[in-house]
Amino acid sequence: MSEIEEGFEENLVDFYYSNAVQGIREEWLINIDENWFNYINNLPEKEKVTYHVAILDEEVANGGFNQYFINGYGQFAKDTVNSLKLIKADKSSSLVQKAYDIVNSKNMADNIFRSKLLSGKIKELYEYDSVVNNFLNELDDEYYEYEDNIAILLVNYLKE
């Protein structure tokens, strides 16, 4: 691939990501309220998919699935599973589903899960040697194997 093509592909992802985050208000992230969730879910599909995929990849690369959930992005986990399926990242989609299932092992309704997650009330996420954290660490290792090349799959999806 030429440098021009690589630059185009990076710009394509940056374009959709920039569009996705431009309307996010800082107070939504500080107060962690429903506006953040509703805003993302009302984005056009390509912006929403780009946001879900980019945030997941950044969070897991920097601190694993535990960080993804603790930092509030886990509220988008179910939607991220669907976004990963849309770009044909089936292995990654499966890993996010497993992570969500262990963090929400009590099978809470979506709104209750989001509320507990965002208020720090899923205590197993904060316990270093909990079953949940140990499982998430195993999923991190699988994710880092990068069986799905998310960057390429995302670009291919955005080109469609």
Side-chain angles (χ1 to χ4, degrees), residues 19-147:
N19 283 345
V21 299
Q22 72 182 354
I24 294 176
R25 305 285 181 258
E26 188 174 341
E27 62 267 15
W28 298 348
L29 304 176
I30 293 169
N31 300 324
I32 309 192
D33 63 33
E34 285 289 311
N35 289 316
W36 179 19
F37 183 79
N38 293 332
Y39 172 80
I40 295 300
N41 280 329
N42 287 311
L43 288 170
E45 184 176 276
K46 287 187 177 183
E47 281 85 353
K48 183 172 24 178
V49 168
T50 302
Y51 182 82
H52 290 151
V53 172
I55 289 295
L56 171 75
D57 200 47
E58 181 180 318
E59 289 293 304
V60 175
N62 287 325
F65 280 104
N66 180 277
Q67 177 176 303
Y68 173 74
F69 283 95
I70 285 178
N71 286 350
Y73 297 106
Q75 69 177 311
F76 302 107
K78 286 178 74 173
D79 299 311
T80 301
V81 167
N82 294 329
S83 291
L84 289 164
K85 286 179 183 177
L86 277 175
I87 69 168
K88 299 178 176 56
D90 298 326
K91 175 68 175 178
S92 299
S93 175
S94 172
L95 294 175
V96 175
Q97 184 65 56
K98 288 176 185 177
Y100 174 80
D101 289 344
I102 191 80
V103 174
N104 187 13
S105 63
K106 294 179 176 137
N107 224 7
M108 295 174 262
D110 292 343
N111 61 329
I112 294 170
F113 172 75
R114 267 195 322 278
S115 174
K116 287 189 179 241
L117 177 71
L118 297 175
S119 62
K121 292 183 179 169
I122 301 178
K123 65 181 180 174
E124 297 85 1
L125 286 170
Y126 300 92
E127 296 170 355
Y128 175 73
D129 203 25
S130 69
V131 171
V132 170
N133 268 330
N134 290 335
F135 187 77
L136 293 177
N137 287 335
E138 291 173 20
L139 292 179
D140 294 345
D141 293 339
E142 286 185 59
Y143 187 87
Y144 300 145
E145 290 174 11
Y146 221 56
E147 288 183 37

